[in-house]
Amino acid sequence: QVQLVESGGGLVQAGGSLRLSCAASGRTSSTYPMGWFRQAPGKEREFVAVITWTGGSTYYADSVKGRFTISRDNAKNTVYLQMNSLKPEDTAVYFCAAGGWGTDSAGYDYWGQGTQVTVSS
């Protein structure tokens, strides 16, 4: 089992930045690829970014490419999502996920509880 706890969400103005963190615990948490998804009210959960367990490969949704950066520190069992140039359409609950790969949320085994990001115009 892997437990995931997100933090770092909040309210920010358009153009601003936030950094989300996801602390993982569990016997093999550092070996899993880790991803971020988000879900806006009335919409389906959508892929944001994913990183391999070594951090050597990353993949982003087109909507965030060039603005968001995913990274991880395996010594701390933590994955980060640096979000710059935020837009109102980035407003959503952001979820950390582990144990999967790709853009389909169904492919991930473990999920955090989510953290709210609100971007005001």
Side-chain angles (χ1 to χ4, degrees):
Q1 286 288 338
V2 176
Q3 293 77 43
L4 304 172
V5 179
E6 302 97 334
S7 61
L11 173 65
V12 64
Q13 288 187 333
S17 298
L18 282 175
R19 188 177 81 155
L20 305 183
S21 299
C22 174
S25 60
R27 188 169 59 183
T28 58
S29 60
S30 65
T31 67
Y32 285 107
M34 301 283 288
W36 287 95
F37 286 75
R38 65 187 182 186
Q39 188 166 17
K43 295 187 177 181
E44 293 187 352
R45 191 168 298 189
E46 67 172 0
F47 169 77
V48 175
V50 65
I51 187 168
T52 56
W53 73 273
T54 63
S57 293
T58 57
Y59 184 70
Y60 296 91
D62 287 342
S63 59
V64 306
K65 201 173 296 182
R67 300 187 298 122
F68 291 10
T69 302
I70 189 171
S71 61
R72 68 189 298 164
D73 183 341
N74 284 343
K76 297 181 179 179
N77 285 337
T78 301
V79 64
Y80 304 98
L81 186 68
Q82 178 67 45
M83 306 185 295
N84 299 328
S85 302
L86 282 161
K87 304 175 181 180
E89 50 264 44
D90 294 318
T91 295
V93 177
Y94 282 71
F95 297 90
C96 178
W101 182 255
T103 62
D104 187 352
S105 61
Y108 290 77
D109 295 324
Y110 306 105
W111 292 87
Q113 81 289 348
T115 185
Q116 176 70 47
V117 171
T118 303
V119 184
S120 63
S121 58

